[in-house]
Amino acid sequence: LDGSLNSLTKKYTKKILNVKYKGRIIELIPGMKILEKDKDQVKIEVDESKIKLADAIIYISNNIEVLDLEVKNTPIDDVVANLYKEYHI
């Protein structure tokens, strides 16, 4: 376990898009994964090693009627848990 906090955070965090939408949800492209889904809201994880955040937002905006969109980082608790799992701490 070596590296700066910034590099570790970058390696183990993904962006989370909270999207409030109208209509139907579409099939996502590689690098995007649905974490939670309600009738008019979806939480999507974006893996920036596979797709740029801007490209993910453009794809969503072009294919879904977006009412609201919020971008968040992976919670630090999840980052720490992933570190424990990977390094068997």
Side-chain angles (χ1 to χ4, degrees):
L1 185 63
D2 198 14
S4 69
L5 179 60
N6 191 28
S7 65
L8 288 172
T9 303
K10 191 169 201 144
K11 181 178 178 181
Y12 292 99
T13 61
K14 295 181 174 56
K15 297 294 183 187
I16 307 296
L17 302 178
N18 292 321
V19 183
K20 188 170 184 179
Y21 65 95
K22 185 176 179 183
R24 290 183 23 180
I25 195 73
I26 44 102
E27 187 172 323
L28 299 177
I29 54 180
M32 299 169 68
K33 178 172 83 173
I34 293 177
L35 299 177
E36 295 175 20
K37 183 180 170 194
D38 260 338
K39 71 173 194 171
D40 65 347
Q41 262 186 272
V42 65
K43 184 182 282 190
I44 299 170
E45 178 183 82
V46 178
D47 183 346
E48 292 183 284
S49 69
K50 297 178 182 170
I51 183 173
K52 292 180 183 176
L53 179 62
D55 292 339
I57 292 172
I58 289 168
Y59 180 79
I60 290 169
S61 298
N62 287 339
N63 292 286
I64 301 171
E65 186 178 344
V66 176
L67 303 175
D68 191 28
L69 186 137
E70 177 183 35
V71 179
K72 291 188 167 196
N73 288 315
T74 305
I76 194 67
D77 294 348
D78 293 348
V79 173
V80 172
N82 288 335
L83 286 169
Y84 273 89
K85 285 178 191 172
E86 183 169 331
Y87 291 99
H88 308 287
I89 300 173

